[in-house]
Amino acid sequence: MNLPTLPLFPDSGSQRPLLIAGPCSAETEEQLLTTAHALAQEGIRLFRAGLWKPRTKPGCFEGVGAAGLPWLARVKRETGMRTATEVATAEHARAAREAGVDLLWIGARTTANPFAVQEIADALAGCDLPILVKNPLSPDLDLWIGALERLSQAGIRRLGAIHRGFSALDHSLYRNPPQWSLPIELHRRLPQLPLLCDPSHIGGRRDRIAALCQQAMDLGFDGLIVEAHCRPDEAWSDREQQVTPEELRHILSRLVIRRTDDASDGLTALRRRIDECDDELLEVLARRMQVAREIGRYKRAHTMPVLQARRYEELLARRTAQAERAGMSAAFMQAVLQAIHEESVRQQMELSDE
Ligand code: PEP
Ligand code: MN
C-alpha cells in the first residue's frame, strides 16, 4: 500500500528534524505572542497552539476556539513562523483554513472516530494544506492508517503522522507509553510518509522530553512536535509537560542526529525493543509492588504477619518450573523472585511507618 504524498510544504527541505513547537493551548493573545516571539528567537519556524481542546473530563479548559484564529494570524505576521492547530470537526477545519493556518493536525481522540475523520476529509477535500494525523489512543495501526487513507482519498497529498503514545492505566513511566513497534511498523508500511514524534504527550513530564526526542531521532523519525510555553507552570492545560523556549533550545542543542541509513540501524531497532521490554518489566514490577502494599495493609488490618513462608515456597516452586519451560534457568528465576520478594516484604514493612 502507498499513499500518494507530497512534501509537507512546497519548500520543505529534507532537514531533520522538522520541528513544531508551541503551547498545548492558546490561552490569551499575550501568552501566544510572547511564546511565539521567544520560539522564533530560538529558530523555530513552525508554531503550534491548540484552539479547540478535546479534554478527557468536562469542566477543564476547552480552548479559546475560533477567537484564537486572529492571534495565530498575528503570530504569523509578526514572527514569520508558519502556524499549526488541531481540528476535530469539519467546522474547525473550515475556520482554520479560512483564517490562513498553515498546517492542521487531527488529535488522538478524533483519529479514533472514522465519522469525524471523514467529515474533516470532506471539508478539506482537494486542499493543499498539510495535515498530520496523530495515532489513536489505542494501539490500533489500522485505525491510524485508515484515517490517513480517508484524507488521501479526499485528494489531500501533504500528509504526515504524529506518534504521541498510547493510553495506559499506569502512568508511572510515561503518560502514554510509546510502544515504538507501532510507529516503526507504520513507517515500514508507508515509508514515504513523514513521521513526527510528540515527546510531550508520550512523556507527560518535562524531564522526560529530551530522552524521548533522542529516541525518536535514533529510530529515524523525521520530526518532533514539542509543547513549549512562556510560563509552563501557569499553563491552562498540560502544565507538567511543557518546557520554556530556552529549555527547548537546550534540549535541541544536545540532540545527536545520526544518519538514518547507517548500517547499525538494525541494531538500534533491536536495542529499542530491549528498552521496550525493560519499560514493560518496570511497569509490571511497580504494579506488583502496589498490590504488595495493598496486601500489607490487609494483613495489618487483620493482624496477620507480613511474611508467610508457605505461600512464598509455593510461588517459588511454581514459577521456577514455569521459567524452565520457557527456556530460563531455575537459578536465574530463583534469584529474580528472591529479589522481588525481598522488595515486597520491605515495602510491606514500611507500611508500619504510615
Ligand atoms: C495536543 O497536542 O495538545 C493534544 C491534545 O494531543 P493528543 O491528541 O495527542 O492528546
Ligand atoms: Mn497538550
Short mmCIF file of all heavy atoms in Angstrom, two decimals, residues 290-325:
data_model
loop_
_atom_site.label_atom_id
_atom_site.label_comp_id
_atom_site.label_asym_id
_atom_site.label_seq_id
_atom_site.Cartn_x
_atom_site.Cartn_y
_atom_site.Cartn_z
N GLN A 290 2.69 -2.31 44.18
CA GLN A 290 1.49 -1.62 44.67
C GLN A 290 0.51 -2.64 45.27
O GLN A 290 -0.06 -2.40 46.33
CB GLN A 290 0.85 -0.90 43.50
CG GLN A 290 -0.01 0.27 43.93
CD GLN A 290 -0.46 1.04 42.70
OE1 GLN A 290 0.18 1.00 41.66
NE2 GLN A 290 -1.57 1.72 42.83
N VAL A 291 0.37 -3.78 44.58
CA VAL A 291 -0.52 -4.83 45.11
C VAL A 291 0.06 -5.36 46.42
O VAL A 291 -0.68 -5.60 47.38
CB VAL A 291 -0.70 -5.97 44.09
CG1 VAL A 291 -1.58 -7.07 44.67
CG2 VAL A 291 -1.29 -5.45 42.80
N ALA A 292 1.39 -5.49 46.47
CA ALA A 292 2.02 -5.99 47.70
C ALA A 292 1.69 -5.06 48.87
O ALA A 292 1.41 -5.52 49.99
CB ALA A 292 3.54 -6.09 47.51
N ARG A 293 1.70 -3.78 48.61
CA ARG A 293 1.38 -2.82 49.69
C ARG A 293 -0.07 -2.97 50.12
O ARG A 293 -0.39 -2.88 51.30
CB ARG A 293 1.68 -1.38 49.24
CG ARG A 293 3.17 -1.11 49.09
CD ARG A 293 3.41 0.24 48.47
NE ARG A 293 3.24 1.32 49.44
CZ ARG A 293 4.24 1.79 50.19
NH1 ARG A 293 5.44 1.28 50.07
NH2 ARG A 293 4.02 2.76 51.05
N GLU A 294 -0.94 -3.21 49.13
CA GLU A 294 -2.35 -3.42 49.48
C GLU A 294 -2.50 -4.66 50.35
O GLU A 294 -3.25 -4.67 51.34
CB GLU A 294 -3.20 -3.58 48.22
CG GLU A 294 -3.68 -2.26 47.66
CD GLU A 294 -4.36 -2.40 46.30
OE1 GLU A 294 -5.17 -3.33 46.14
OE2 GLU A 294 -4.04 -1.59 45.40
N ILE A 295 -1.77 -5.71 49.98
CA ILE A 295 -1.80 -6.94 50.79
C ILE A 295 -1.29 -6.63 52.20
O ILE A 295 -1.85 -7.08 53.20
CB ILE A 295 -0.95 -8.05 50.13
CG1 ILE A 295 -1.63 -8.53 48.85
CG2 ILE A 295 -0.71 -9.21 51.09
CD1 ILE A 295 -0.92 -9.66 48.14
N GLY A 296 -0.23 -5.82 52.24
CA GLY A 296 0.35 -5.44 53.53
C GLY A 296 -0.70 -4.75 54.42
O GLY A 296 -0.82 -5.06 55.61
N ARG A 297 -1.46 -3.84 53.81
CA ARG A 297 -2.49 -3.13 54.58
C ARG A 297 -3.56 -4.11 55.08
O ARG A 297 -4.02 -4.03 56.20
CB ARG A 297 -3.16 -2.06 53.72
CG ARG A 297 -2.32 -0.82 53.62
CD ARG A 297 -3.04 0.34 52.97
NE ARG A 297 -2.01 1.22 52.45
CZ ARG A 297 -1.57 1.22 51.19
NH1 ARG A 297 -2.13 0.44 50.29
NH2 ARG A 297 -0.60 2.02 50.82
N TYR A 298 -3.91 -5.05 54.20
CA TYR A 298 -4.94 -6.03 54.56
C TYR A 298 -4.46 -6.87 55.74
O TYR A 298 -5.17 -7.05 56.72
CB TYR A 298 -5.22 -6.93 53.35
CG TYR A 298 -6.29 -7.96 53.61
CD1 TYR A 298 -7.63 -7.69 53.30
CD2 TYR A 298 -5.97 -9.20 54.18
CE1 TYR A 298 -8.61 -8.63 53.56
CE2 TYR A 298 -6.95 -10.14 54.45
CZ TYR A 298 -8.27 -9.86 54.13
OH TYR A 298 -9.23 -10.78 54.39
N LYS A 299 -3.19 -7.34 55.64
CA LYS A 299 -2.64 -8.19 56.72
C LYS A 299 -2.61 -7.42 58.03
O LYS A 299 -2.93 -7.96 59.09
CB LYS A 299 -1.22 -8.64 56.36
CG LYS A 299 -1.17 -9.72 55.28
CD LYS A 299 0.30 -10.06 55.02
CE LYS A 299 0.49 -11.04 53.89
NZ LYS A 299 1.87 -11.04 53.43
N ARG A 300 -2.26 -6.16 57.91
CA ARG A 300 -2.16 -5.36 59.13
C ARG A 300 -3.55 -5.18 59.77
O ARG A 300 -3.72 -5.33 60.97
CB ARG A 300 -1.55 -3.99 58.82
CG ARG A 300 -0.82 -3.44 60.02
CD ARG A 300 -0.04 -2.22 59.67
NE ARG A 300 -0.87 -1.30 58.90
CZ ARG A 300 -0.62 -0.01 58.78
NH1 ARG A 300 0.44 0.49 59.36
NH2 ARG A 300 -1.40 0.75 58.08
N ALA A 301 -4.54 -4.93 58.89
CA ALA A 301 -5.90 -4.72 59.40
C ALA A 301 -6.42 -6.01 60.06
O ALA A 301 -7.26 -5.95 60.95
CB ALA A 301 -6.81 -4.29 58.26
N HIS A 302 -5.94 -7.16 59.58
CA HIS A 302 -6.41 -8.43 60.12
C HIS A 302 -5.39 -9.08 61.04
O HIS A 302 -5.43 -10.29 61.28
CB HIS A 302 -6.79 -9.38 58.98
CG HIS A 302 -7.94 -8.88 58.18
ND1 HIS A 302 -7.81 -7.92 57.19
CD2 HIS A 302 -9.26 -9.17 58.22
CE1 HIS A 302 -8.99 -7.66 56.66
NE2 HIS A 302 -9.89 -8.40 57.27
N THR A 303 -4.48 -8.27 61.54
CA THR A 303 -3.37 -8.72 62.42
C THR A 303 -2.75 -10.05 61.97
O THR A 303 -2.66 -11.01 62.71
CB THR A 303 -3.80 -8.80 63.91
OG1 THR A 303 -5.02 -9.51 63.98
CG2 THR A 303 -3.93 -7.43 64.51
N MET A 304 -2.34 -10.06 60.70
CA MET A 304 -1.63 -11.22 60.16
C MET A 304 -0.16 -10.84 59.99
O MET A 304 0.13 -9.67 59.77
CB MET A 304 -2.21 -11.62 58.79
CG MET A 304 -3.64 -12.15 58.87
SD MET A 304 -4.45 -12.05 57.27
CE MET A 304 -3.79 -13.49 56.46
N PRO A 305 0.76 -11.81 60.06
CA PRO A 305 2.19 -11.47 59.88
C PRO A 305 2.49 -11.12 58.42
O PRO A 305 1.81 -11.61 57.51
CB PRO A 305 2.92 -12.75 60.27
CG PRO A 305 1.92 -13.84 60.04
CD PRO A 305 0.56 -13.25 60.28
N VAL A 306 3.51 -10.29 58.20
CA VAL A 306 3.90 -9.90 56.84
C VAL A 306 4.38 -11.12 56.06
O VAL A 306 3.96 -11.36 54.93
CB VAL A 306 5.02 -8.82 56.89
CG1 VAL A 306 5.69 -8.67 55.53
CG2 VAL A 306 4.45 -7.49 57.34
N LEU A 307 5.26 -11.88 56.69
CA LEU A 307 5.89 -13.00 55.98
C LEU A 307 5.09 -14.27 56.17
O LEU A 307 4.82 -14.68 57.30
CB LEU A 307 7.31 -13.17 56.52
CG LEU A 307 8.21 -14.01 55.63
CD1 LEU A 307 8.43 -13.30 54.29
CD2 LEU A 307 9.55 -14.24 56.31
N GLN A 308 4.69 -14.88 55.04
CA GLN A 308 4.01 -16.16 55.14
C GLN A 308 4.79 -17.14 54.28
O GLN A 308 4.64 -17.19 53.06
CB GLN A 308 2.56 -15.99 54.70
CG GLN A 308 1.82 -15.17 55.76
CD GLN A 308 0.39 -14.91 55.39
OE1 GLN A 308 0.09 -14.50 54.29
NE2 GLN A 308 -0.50 -15.16 56.33
N ALA A 309 5.64 -17.91 54.98
CA ALA A 309 6.66 -18.70 54.30
C ALA A 309 6.07 -19.71 53.33
O ALA A 309 6.61 -19.93 52.24
CB ALA A 309 7.54 -19.39 55.34
N ARG A 310 4.95 -20.33 53.70
CA ARG A 310 4.43 -21.39 52.82
C ARG A 310 4.02 -20.84 51.46
O ARG A 310 4.29 -21.40 50.41
CB ARG A 310 3.28 -22.12 53.49
CG ARG A 310 3.50 -23.63 53.32
CD ARG A 310 2.40 -24.53 53.78
NE ARG A 310 1.20 -24.43 52.97
CZ ARG A 310 -0.02 -24.47 53.46
NH1 ARG A 310 -0.20 -24.54 54.77
NH2 ARG A 310 -1.06 -24.43 52.67
N ARG A 311 3.36 -19.73 51.51
CA ARG A 311 2.91 -19.09 50.27
C ARG A 311 4.13 -18.79 49.37
O ARG A 311 4.11 -19.02 48.17
CB ARG A 311 2.14 -17.82 50.62
CG ARG A 311 2.13 -16.73 49.61
CD ARG A 311 0.99 -16.86 48.58
NE ARG A 311 1.14 -15.83 47.55
CZ ARG A 311 0.82 -15.97 46.29
NH1 ARG A 311 0.29 -17.10 45.87
NH2 ARG A 311 0.98 -15.00 45.44
N TYR A 312 5.22 -18.31 49.98
CA TYR A 312 6.41 -17.97 49.20
C TYR A 312 7.04 -19.21 48.59
O TYR A 312 7.42 -19.22 47.42
CB TYR A 312 7.41 -17.22 50.10
CG TYR A 312 8.69 -16.86 49.37
CD1 TYR A 312 8.64 -16.11 48.18
CD2 TYR A 312 9.93 -17.28 49.84
CE1 TYR A 312 9.81 -15.80 47.50
CE2 TYR A 312 11.09 -16.96 49.15
CZ TYR A 312 11.03 -16.22 47.98
OH TYR A 312 12.17 -15.91 47.30
N GLU A 313 7.10 -20.31 49.38
CA GLU A 313 7.68 -21.56 48.87
C GLU A 313 6.88 -22.06 47.66
O GLU A 313 7.44 -22.47 46.64
CB GLU A 313 7.67 -22.65 49.97
CG GLU A 313 8.66 -22.40 51.10
CD GLU A 313 10.09 -22.22 50.61
OE1 GLU A 313 10.48 -22.87 49.63
OE2 GLU A 313 10.81 -21.38 51.20
N GLU A 314 5.57 -22.00 47.77
CA GLU A 314 4.70 -22.46 46.67
C GLU A 314 4.95 -21.66 45.41
O GLU A 314 5.10 -22.18 44.31
CB GLU A 314 3.23 -22.28 47.05
CG GLU A 314 2.66 -23.43 47.86
CD GLU A 314 1.31 -23.04 48.47
OE1 GLU A 314 0.67 -22.07 47.98
OE2 GLU A 314 0.93 -23.69 49.44
N LEU A 315 4.99 -20.34 45.62
CA LEU A 315 5.18 -19.42 44.49
C LEU A 315 6.51 -19.70 43.79
O LEU A 315 6.59 -19.76 42.57
CB LEU A 315 5.14 -18.00 45.07
CG LEU A 315 5.16 -16.77 44.19
CD1 LEU A 315 4.43 -15.65 44.91
CD2 LEU A 315 6.57 -16.33 43.89
N LEU A 316 7.53 -19.91 44.60
CA LEU A 316 8.87 -20.16 44.07
C LEU A 316 8.90 -21.43 43.22
O LEU A 316 9.41 -21.44 42.10
CB LEU A 316 9.83 -20.30 45.26
CG LEU A 316 11.30 -20.01 45.03
CD1 LEU A 316 11.48 -18.58 44.56
CD2 LEU A 316 12.08 -20.21 46.34
N ALA A 317 8.29 -22.49 43.73
CA ALA A 317 8.31 -23.77 43.02
C ALA A 317 7.56 -23.65 41.69
O ALA A 317 8.04 -24.06 40.64
CB ALA A 317 7.69 -24.84 43.90
N ARG A 318 6.38 -23.03 41.77
CA ARG A 318 5.54 -22.94 40.57
C ARG A 318 6.23 -22.10 39.49
O ARG A 318 6.32 -22.48 38.33
CB ARG A 318 4.20 -22.32 40.96
CG ARG A 318 3.17 -22.32 39.86
CD ARG A 318 1.75 -22.29 40.45
NE ARG A 318 1.62 -21.30 41.52
CZ ARG A 318 1.20 -20.05 41.33
NH1 ARG A 318 0.89 -19.63 40.13
NH2 ARG A 318 1.08 -19.22 42.34
N ARG A 319 6.76 -20.95 39.88
CA ARG A 319 7.34 -20.03 38.88
C ARG A 319 8.68 -20.54 38.34
O ARG A 319 9.03 -20.28 37.20
CB ARG A 319 7.52 -18.63 39.47
CG ARG A 319 6.22 -17.95 39.85
CD ARG A 319 5.32 -17.79 38.67
NE ARG A 319 4.04 -17.20 39.06
CZ ARG A 319 3.00 -17.09 38.27
NH1 ARG A 319 3.04 -17.54 37.02
NH2 ARG A 319 1.88 -16.54 38.69
N THR A 320 9.42 -21.27 39.18
CA THR A 320 10.69 -21.81 38.69
C THR A 320 10.43 -22.84 37.60
O THR A 320 11.08 -22.85 36.55
CB THR A 320 11.48 -22.45 39.85
OG1 THR A 320 11.49 -21.52 40.93
CG2 THR A 320 12.90 -22.75 39.48
N ALA A 321 9.44 -23.69 37.83
CA ALA A 321 9.10 -24.71 36.83
C ALA A 321 8.63 -24.03 35.54
O ALA A 321 9.03 -24.42 34.43
CB ALA A 321 8.01 -25.63 37.39
N GLN A 322 7.83 -23.00 35.71
CA GLN A 322 7.31 -22.27 34.54
C GLN A 322 8.46 -21.64 33.75
O GLN A 322 8.49 -21.69 32.52
CB GLN A 322 6.36 -21.18 35.04
CG GLN A 322 5.50 -20.57 33.96
CD GLN A 322 4.62 -19.45 34.53
OE1 GLN A 322 4.70 -19.11 35.72
NE2 GLN A 322 3.79 -18.88 33.69
N ALA A 323 9.43 -21.07 34.48
CA ALA A 323 10.57 -20.42 33.83
C ALA A 323 11.38 -21.44 33.03
O ALA A 323 11.79 -21.18 31.90
CB ALA A 323 11.45 -19.76 34.87
N GLU A 324 11.56 -22.62 33.61
CA GLU A 324 12.33 -23.66 32.92
C GLU A 324 11.64 -24.07 31.63
O GLU A 324 12.30 -24.25 30.59
CB GLU A 324 12.55 -24.87 33.83
CG GLU A 324 13.67 -24.61 34.84
CD GLU A 324 14.01 -25.84 35.67
OE1 GLU A 324 13.09 -26.37 36.34
OE2 GLU A 324 15.18 -26.26 35.66
N ARG A 325 10.32 -24.14 31.68
CA ARG A 325 9.59 -24.49 30.45
C ARG A 325 9.78 -23.41 29.39
O ARG A 325 9.73 -23.67 28.20
CB ARG A 325 8.09 -24.67 30.76
CG ARG A 325 7.77 -25.98 31.49
CD ARG A 325 6.29 -26.31 31.41
NE ARG A 325 5.43 -25.30 32.01
CZ ARG A 325 5.14 -25.25 33.31
NH1 ARG A 325 5.64 -26.15 34.13
NH2 ARG A 325 4.35 -24.31 33.78
#
